[in-house]
């Protein structure tokens, strides 16, 4: 959000004024005339990133922009999934268009060729910092691109193959990462590049000043950062709002507004401290959290839940066996993550000890991780309904009884096949995908029949039975005269909207109980003037409908 606000602020200031900005100009006499000696880093630190005591007006502008962004961007998720799709399609088209324009008119191919051919530019590959930065960038990109697959994937990727989705996300991350590096390097010009928290913004401003470009080009570049930041925020907010919608129903927007207010307060408080706190979060706190959470997720699924059960679940979803290289990546990824992170921590500790610095943020992160894990483990163990502590701990390491498909028919088939696979060898299991698809298709066809009925033009307003009513073989004996003139059990008669006014003697008739004289789903012969529909789940949309 700080990046988006800074990009928006410089777009507004450059658009309404001159370029370079007046507050970012320090003219000095040189043999070639007057030259501006203030670089882009000094410009940012003296304007919108200046301390509150020195430049309070700039912090006020940033606070207003942050407030507007925190409350404007959630509006783009007003209808959650549909709004997200529309927003991503529009914003992605804008990003691709602007990137192509910048590449065509501003890029210099000689800079890229010199960078790739120079051995000096390849020397950082022996440093642990660049490998760890690359690792963290990959993890954060994966979280932004596909992190919501875990928490909100049921509403986004219901009809796609999880393997192709993962492969597409990986390819997208690689291509976007390489292309973005080449883009900024090609338009950044020669000279030493900034490596601070706002390196991209500094590069845009500095290259535009040094190359003496008109202000339209920095506006386009800052706009590219602005739109890409909006996509990032939308992708990170969607799973939160989706979870709020599941918990709070139609009141989720109230909680979203409360979260926006909290986000505004936290962002302004971080910005008021300067970039030092943001740099600490970006360079020490977030990398450790990203690596640690990824390791915990992989270890939890592959080694605690079990790679065999995971392959069975994916086999159940996709209908085909999982290739062996997926298993190899599951087993090798935790080792790779811990190895690169350990190499980086070892180098970091050496540098800080030689310079006499402290790593209190890093220690605070590890203490916080330990506290959160202990608290979550205690809560998970306390929720288990067992007789003693040991059995509670053992039960906490097993999946929840709610784990599995949400749809009842799918869950039944999944549990049946899971039980069959547990009794077979780990290398010989079968998934009856054809039978599953056949049952699910018949189930949906049966449920869809109710929507094909002409509810408004029924021949008998008191004798229309929903066609989705399931017939049963349990019949009531016809020889009992008590049940000869009654209809189906639990039938819900429907009333046409063009129903005429009832007679006076039928106006306050009490509703009768409809009992089947032959079998369930038979004709309805009872009369009633009140019609209710129970709160029943719509299994196709996972919603609960209520009608009176």
């Amino acid at each position: 959000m700080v990046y988006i606000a800074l990009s928006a602020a410089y777009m507004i200031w450059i658009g309404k004024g001159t370029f370079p900005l007046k507050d970012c100009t320090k003219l000095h006499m040189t043999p070639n005339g007057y030259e501006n000696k203030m670089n882009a880093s000094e410009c940012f630190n003296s304007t919108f990133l200046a301390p509150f005591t020195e430049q309070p007006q700039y912090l006020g502008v940033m606070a207003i922009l942050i407030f507007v962004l925190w409350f404007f961007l959630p509006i783009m998720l007003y209808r959650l999934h549909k709004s997200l799709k529309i927003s991503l399609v529009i914003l992605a088209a804008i990003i691709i268009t602007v990137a192509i324009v910048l590449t065509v008119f501003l890029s210099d191919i000689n800079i890229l060729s010199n960078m790739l051919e120079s051995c000096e530019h390849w020397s950082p590959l022996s440093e642990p910092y660049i490998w760890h930065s690359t690792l963290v960038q990959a993890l954060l990109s994966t979280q932004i691109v596909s992190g919501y697959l875990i928490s909100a994937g049921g509403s986004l990727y219901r009809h796609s193959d999880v393997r192709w989705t993962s492969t597409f996300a990986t390819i997208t991350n690689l291509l976007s990462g390489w292309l973005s590096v080449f883009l900024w390097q090609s338009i950044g010009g020669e000279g030493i590049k900034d490596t601070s928290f706002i390196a991209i913004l500094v590069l845009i401003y500095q290259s535009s000043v040094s190359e003496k470009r008109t202000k339209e080009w920095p506006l386009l570049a800052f706009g590219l950062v602005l739109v890409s930041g909006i996509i990032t925020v939308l992708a990170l907010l969607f799973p939160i709002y989706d979870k709020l919608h599941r918990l709070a129903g139609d009141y989720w927007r109230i909680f979203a507004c409360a979260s926006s207010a909290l986000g505004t307060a936290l962002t302004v408080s971080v910005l008021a401290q300067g970039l030092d706190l943001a740099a600490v979060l970006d360079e020490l706190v977030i990398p450790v959290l990203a690596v640690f959470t990824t390791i915990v997720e992989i270890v939890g699924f592959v080694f605690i839940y079990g790679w065999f059960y995971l392959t069975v679940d994916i086999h159940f979803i996709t209908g085909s066996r999982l290739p062996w290289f997926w298993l190899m990546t599951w087993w090798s990824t935790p080792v790779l993550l811990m190895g690169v992170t350990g190499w980086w921590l070892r180098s970091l500790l050496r540098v800080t000890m030689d310079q006499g610095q402290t790593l209190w943020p890093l220690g605070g992160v590890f203490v916080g991780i330990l506290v959160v894990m202990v608290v979550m483990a205690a809560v998970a163990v306390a929720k288990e309904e067992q007789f003693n502590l040991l059995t509670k701990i053992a039960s906490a390491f097993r999946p929840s009884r709610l784990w599995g498909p949400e749809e009842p028919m799918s869950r039944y088939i999944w549990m049946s096949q899971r039980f069959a696979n547990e009794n077979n060898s780990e290398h010989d299991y079968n998934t009856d995908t054809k039978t599953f698809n056949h049952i699910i298709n018949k189930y949906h066809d049966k449920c869809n029949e109710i929507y094909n009925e002409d509810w408004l033009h029924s021949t008998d307003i008191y004798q229309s039975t929903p066609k989705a009513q399931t017939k049963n073989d349990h019949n009531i004996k016809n020889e009992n005269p008590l049940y000869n003139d009654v209809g189906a059990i639990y039938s819900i008669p429907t009333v046409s909207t063009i129903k005429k006014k009832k007679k006076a003697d039928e106006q306050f008739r009490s509703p009768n109980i409809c009992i089947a004289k032959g079998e369930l789903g038979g004709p309805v012969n009872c009369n009633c003037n009140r019609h209710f529909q129970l709160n029943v789940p719509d299994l196709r949309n996972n919603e609960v409908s209520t009608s009176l």
Side-chain angles (χ1 to χ4, degrees):
M1 194 61 74
V2 173
Y3 251 86
I4 300 175
L6 282 174
S7 302
Y10 271 86
M11 288 182 66
I12 295 173
W13 251 245
I14 293 174
K16 73 181 184 64
T18 60
F19 185 76
L21 299 179
K22 293 182 179 180
D23 294 339
C24 298
T25 304
K26 285 185 180 179
L27 298 179
H28 291 270
M29 180 65 73
T30 63
N32 298 325
Y34 288 99
E35 290 185 2
N36 184 17
K37 293 297 183 180
M38 178 180 286
N39 56 29
S41 299
E42 296 175 349
C43 175
F44 278 86
N45 292 327
S46 62
T47 54
F48 293 100
L49 297 179
F52 176 74
T53 55
E54 298 179 4
Q55 301 287 350
Q57 68 274 14
Y58 285 112
L59 183 60
V61 172
M62 287 293 294
I64 294 174
L65 289 175
I66 290 172
F67 174 81
V68 172
L69 290 171
W70 264 113
F71 282 89
F72 170 74
L73 294 183
I75 298 178
M76 303 177 71
L77 296 175
Y78 185 80
R79 298 179 65 185
L80 289 179
H81 183 204
K82 294 182 180 179
S83 301
L84 180 66
K85 289 179 62 176
I86 296 173
S87 302
L88 291 182
V89 169
I90 297 175
L91 296 178
I94 295 175
I95 283 184
I96 295 174
T97 304
V98 175
I100 292 175
V101 171
L102 292 176
T103 303
V104 171
F105 290 97
L106 300 182
S107 63
D108 188 357
I109 195 64
N110 295 325
I111 297 177
L112 291 179
S113 60
N114 294 333
M115 180 185 67
L116 296 176
E117 294 174 359
S118 175
C119 297
E120 181 180 356
H121 290 90
W122 292 94
S123 59
L125 290 178
S126 60
E127 302 285 338
Y129 177 78
I130 191 171
W131 286 100
H132 185 261
S133 300
T134 306
L135 173 64
V136 173
Q137 178 66 35
L139 295 179
L140 294 179
S141 299
T142 304
Q143 167 64 23
I144 294 171
V145 173
S146 59
Y148 51 82
L149 290 179
I150 298 174
S151 57
S155 58
L156 289 178
Y157 295 97
R158 290 178 296 180
H159 307 292
S160 62
D161 194 325
V162 63
R163 299 166 300 174
W164 287 109
T165 303
S166 302
T167 304
F168 175 75
T170 303
I171 296 174
T172 303
N173 286 337
L174 289 174
L175 292 179
S176 61
W178 288 339
L179 293 177
S180 62
V181 170
F182 291 154
L183 170 65
W184 298 120
Q185 288 290 338
S186 62
I187 70 175
E190 299 288 349
I192 301 176
K193 301 296 189 300
D194 186 83
T195 58
S196 64
F197 175 70
I198 54 172
I200 298 298
L201 303 179
V202 172
L203 182 143
I204 293 173
Y205 190 93
Q206 186 64 41
S207 61
S208 300
V209 172
S210 60
E211 299 293 333
K212 297 181 180 180
R213 297 167 181 160
T214 58
K215 66 179 184 180
E216 288 80 10
W217 297 113
L219 285 176
L220 284 176
F222 281 122
L224 180 63
V225 177
L226 174 66
V227 177
S228 62
I230 291 175
I231 290 180
T232 301
V233 172
L234 293 179
L236 294 176
L237 286 180
F238 178 80
I240 300 176
Y241 292 167
D242 184 75
K243 184 66 174 179
L244 289 176
H245 181 257
R246 294 172 183 270
L247 295 176
D250 294 336
Y251 297 98
W252 70 271
R253 296 180 181 88
I254 299 177
F255 293 96
C257 293
S259 64
S260 296
L262 179 61
T264 302
L266 292 177
T267 307
V268 174
S269 61
V270 169
L271 189 61
Q273 304 297 325
L275 283 186
D276 294 336
L277 181 58
V280 169
L281 294 174
D282 185 64
E283 296 177 3
L284 293 179
V285 178
I286 300 301
V288 174
L289 290 178
V291 174
F292 179 80
T293 51
T294 305
I295 293 175
V296 169
E297 288 178 359
I298 297 176
V299 170
F301 265 106
V302 178
F303 298 101
I304 297 178
Y305 177 67
W307 64 269
F308 172 69
Y309 294 117
L310 194 56
T311 55
V312 170
D313 292 343
I314 297 178
H315 192 181
F316 171 78
I317 295 173
T318 61
S320 59
R321 293 180 179 273
L322 199 66
W324 62 269
F325 63 83
W326 287 103
L327 304 178
M328 296 298 296
T329 56
W330 292 349
W331 293 335
S332 60
T333 299
V335 179
L336 175 64
L337 296 179
M338 290 187 291
V340 175
T341 305
W343 185 24
W344 170 71
L345 286 175
R346 178 173 173 269
S347 176
L348 183 63
L349 291 174
R350 282 187 175 183
V351 173
T352 53
M353 291 178 62
D354 294 340
Q355 297 179 357
Q357 300 177 355
T358 58
L359 291 175
W360 62 266
L362 198 60
V365 171
F366 285 113
V367 172
I369 289 174
L370 182 61
V371 171
V372 170
M373 288 192 65
V374 171
V375 171
M376 293 182 66
V379 172
V381 172
K383 287 182 177 180
E384 297 297 331
E385 298 179 357
Q386 300 295 335
F387 297 101
N388 52 52
L389 181 60
L390 294 179
T391 55
K392 283 188 175 184
I393 295 175
S395 178
F397 279 93
R398 291 193 294 268
S400 170
R401 61 183 178 83
L402 301 177
W403 171 259
E406 187 177 9
E407 191 177 45
M409 187 63 67
S410 303
R411 185 174 182 83
Y412 171 76
I413 299 175
W414 172 76
M415 293 180 67
S416 302
Q417 296 180 355
R418 184 182 177 89
F419 177 77
N421 290 323
E422 287 178 352
N423 297 329
N424 296 334
S425 63
E426 296 188 355
H427 300 285
D428 184 18
Y429 56 87
N430 296 314
T431 302
D432 193 0
T433 308
K434 294 182 179 180
T435 304
F436 166 71
N437 293 332
H438 176 69
I439 294 177
I440 292 299
N441 292 333
K442 290 193 66 177
Y443 171 77
H444 286 303
D445 294 340
K446 192 68 176 177
C447 290
N448 286 330
E449 289 182 7
I450 192 172
Y451 295 97
N452 298 327
E453 184 176 355
D454 190 3
W455 293 89
L456 299 179
H457 301 87
S458 179
T459 57
D460 191 341
I461 60 176
Y462 290 115
Q463 296 184 7
S464 59
T465 304
K467 295 182 180 180
Q469 191 70 258
T470 304
K471 292 187 178 181
N472 201 325
D473 293 331
H474 300 285
N475 298 332
I476 300 176
K477 295 182 179 180
N478 294 329
E479 57 268 14
N480 193 339
L482 180 63
Y483 306 106
N484 288 339
D485 298 326
V486 294
I489 300 177
Y490 300 128
S491 293
I492 306 172
T494 58
V495 181
S496 174
T497 57
I498 59 174
K499 175 180 173 298
K500 301 297 183 180
K501 186 177 179 180
K502 302 184 184 68
K503 296 180 180 180
D505 55 347
E506 297 180 352
Q507 185 174 2
F508 299 102
R509 179 185 300 163
S510 299
N512 299 329
I513 299 177
C514 305
I515 303 176
K517 68 177 182 179
E519 59 181 3
L520 291 179
V524 181
N525 295 323
C526 60
N527 293 324
C528 54
N529 68 316
R530 295 179 180 89
H531 306 280
F532 300 92
Q533 180 174 337
L534 301 178
N535 299 336
V536 295
D538 188 348
L539 300 180
R540 292 166 300 173
N541 300 324
N542 292 328
E543 297 176 352
V544 176
S545 60
T546 305
S547 300
L548 176 56

